[in-house]
Amino acid sequence: MGLRIVCVYTVDSLDPIHPLPDGSCIPYGISVIATVLELAHHTVRLLVLSGRSNLHQTLRTVEEEFQPHLFCLTSVATQFPLIAETARLVKSADPHTYVALGGPHASLNPEECLKHGYFDAVCVGEGEKAVLELASCIEAGRRPSGISNFFFRHPDSERIERNSTSPFNEDLDDLPFIDREMWRPWIARPDAGSVIFVGRGCPHRCSYCSNHALSKLASGKYLRFRSVENVLAEIASICENPEVKEIYLEVETIFAVPSYAFRLFEALAELNAGREEPVEFGINVALTSALMKRTEVVGRLVRAMRSANVLSLNVGLESGSERIRNEVLRRPRYSNEEWIRFSKEAKRHGIRVVPYVMIGLPEETREDWNETLRVLRLSEPDNLRLAVFYPYPGTDLHRRVLGDGSGAVQVIDGSLERRRPVLILPGFSRRRIMLEYVLCHYKVFKDKWSLSTRLLWVVRAFLSEYAGYRFKRMLRWLTRNTPLGRLAAQGPGL
């Protein structure tokens, strides 16, 4: 018969009805959990909540209409207050409803999460197999215990049961294609934007990212890819929808294993050769000096991407200061000259380059930021994604910031995560950081974009940080419904 299970995902959004803008926002972790539970003949309902959701009414309706046995929640650090409040309300309505929590924040801080008293279990690491065993225990009327990858809170004794983690699943092909239909009611434009997850893990150990901590949670190979055949099969299933024109291939860096990248790009080129209208792909890459020294390989990779119709690259620059990248962020080593050379090579082949950049980093000075602006201008990206540094609990940089007293760390309004500075930096004040945040696109694209487009970016950045709810709603409407607004939101050529 199976259980009735509610899977909950939270997100920052001004729209409580359709909190996800398009299909590219579907998260993989909770999606695959929901899918494996469905395939095990449990009845699954999805909730996507935001700070603007009416939690009491939404949860009361679900409790009355669905009468769930199990809630599966997921959380990153800044969403944890909303997830904890959700769990509290679930337990208040029915103390017997079982509540399990997973996700990066839970995996790195399981005991802290359990101490809140609203969660019965916390999943540490990958949970696709563990959650099936958990559901089986609940369905059989047994108190869950002894399940790998789970920490349990036993209310009768206030004891926390800590179980070991199973090795990382190295065969990603045994995971099902996620059920995208369950997300459709929560998406404003469900046929726009599609994401396929190509692999798990990362070869790098950047200090600001959770990968270096998550890789220590279990034994076995952390960096893994699905087979090319498995990826192509899911692409084919998505492309049954004629509205799908673009697919983003989600992976930490496809350059981690060049031989795999070549096989994937060759297969994508063959797929598109048989289509009347080729699918456009985007993907994430990270540079290393070791790779950039192999000039012939880099050239072949860029040409292979273009042949596969990979027309957009997200690249983690993070900072144009080599000192900050190497000593603070612990990024893979590459020089600014190598970054500029790669960016121009990709653009020469008609591939758009969009770097990720952070501001307000530990030890960052105004000179470091000016160097970032200089490098960005020289590399001539098509757009950039800027964020204010936020130290996530469980990362090495979070511990470093707390240890050396370089700035107060606090969970601010979740909608402002990575948009407001939380560190006090000598010579680079919070006010100055916010000014540079607002003016960044104006400065970087001074000779590339029109004055009106750059000014719209300034207004967009300013309103996103300082304006009230109604102004933000107006900004979103302008972005979605006017040609100039769409141009400012994306940047020319995107």
Side-chain angles (χ1 to χ4, degrees), residues 316-377:
L317 174 65
E318 310 305 355
S319 174
S321 165
E322 293 183 10
R323 178 185 69 86
I324 293 292
R325 284 205 308 270
N326 296 336
E327 298 177 14
V328 178
L329 302 181
R330 210 165 62 214
R331 290 284 297 163
R333 296 288 178 124
Y334 53 90
S335 68
N336 286 338
E337 186 277 329
E338 288 169 331
W339 154 257
I340 294 168
R341 176 158 52 89
F342 175 81
S343 179
K344 291 190 174 183
E345 175 70 5
K347 287 173 62 62
R348 189 172 69 84
H349 284 82
I351 300 174
R352 299 186 293 269
V353 175
V354 181
Y356 289 111
V357 181
M358 289 189 284
I359 188 173
L361 292 157
E363 301 184 24
E364 187 176 29
T365 64
R366 286 181 63 178
E367 289 74 22
D368 290 318
W369 176 247
N370 288 335
E371 176 68 358
T372 297
L373 293 176
R374 185 189 73 84
V375 171
L376 286 170
R377 282 192 290 264

Side-chain angles (χ1 to χ4, degrees), residues 232-379:
L232 266 288
E234 186 168 10
I235 291 175
S237 69
I238 292 177
C239 288
E240 291 177 1
N241 179 353
E243 297 297 319
V244 174
K245 311 295 184 185
E246 302 175 1
I247 296 177
Y248 191 79
L249 304 171
E250 183 63 56
V251 64
E252 293 291 345
T253 171
I254 195 63
F255 287 174
V257 182
S259 59
Y260 177 87
F262 281 122
R263 293 199 305 275
L264 177 62
F265 296 147
E266 181 180 0
L268 296 179
E270 291 179 0
L271 177 146
N272 272 327
R275 292 179 58 87
E276 183 175 336
E277 185 177 356
V279 179
E280 180 178 322
F281 297 100
I283 204 163
N284 196 61
V285 302
L287 301 185
T288 65
S289 285
L291 176 63
M292 290 303 297
K293 286 180 171 59
R294 302 168 65 187
T295 307
E296 188 271 336
V297 173
V298 173
R300 285 176 53 212
L301 282 169
V302 172
R303 292 191 296 274
M305 284 189 289
R306 188 61 184 86
S307 297
N309 214 36
V310 176
L311 299 183
S312 179
L313 296 181
N314 288 337
V315 192
L317 174 65
E318 310 305 355
S319 174
S321 165
E322 293 183 10
R323 178 185 69 86
I324 293 292
R325 284 205 308 270
N326 296 336
E327 298 177 14
V328 178
L329 302 181
R330 210 165 62 214
R331 290 284 297 163
R333 296 288 178 124
Y334 53 90
S335 68
N336 286 338
E337 186 277 329
E338 288 169 331
W339 154 257
I340 294 168
R341 176 158 52 89
F342 175 81
S343 179
K344 291 190 174 183
E345 175 70 5
K347 287 173 62 62
R348 189 172 69 84
H349 284 82
I351 300 174
R352 299 186 293 269
V353 175
V354 181
Y356 289 111
V357 181
M358 289 189 284
I359 188 173
L361 292 157
E363 301 184 24
E364 187 176 29
T365 64
R366 286 181 63 178
E367 289 74 22
D368 290 318
W369 176 247
N370 288 335
E371 176 68 358
T372 297
L373 293 176
R374 185 189 73 84
V375 171
L376 286 170
R377 282 192 290 264
L378 288 174
S379 62

Side-chain angles (χ1 to χ4, degrees), residues 75-81 103-110 112-113 207-214 217 389-402 409-412 417-418 422:
S75 180
V76 294
T78 51
Q79 289 293 310
F80 184 73
H105 182 70
S107 291
L108 298 179
N109 306 276
E112 178 185 330
C113 294
S207 60
Y208 58 91
C209 176
S210 62
N211 268 303
H212 67 77
L214 294 173
L217 296 179
F389 167 72
Y390 186 91
Y392 289 101
T395 64
D396 285 351
L397 206 49
H398 179 266
R399 285 188 287 271
R400 175 174 174 175
V401 167
L402 290 179
V409 179
Q410 56 185 344
V411 176
I412 55 177
E417 172 196 2
R418 297 191 293 176
V422 295

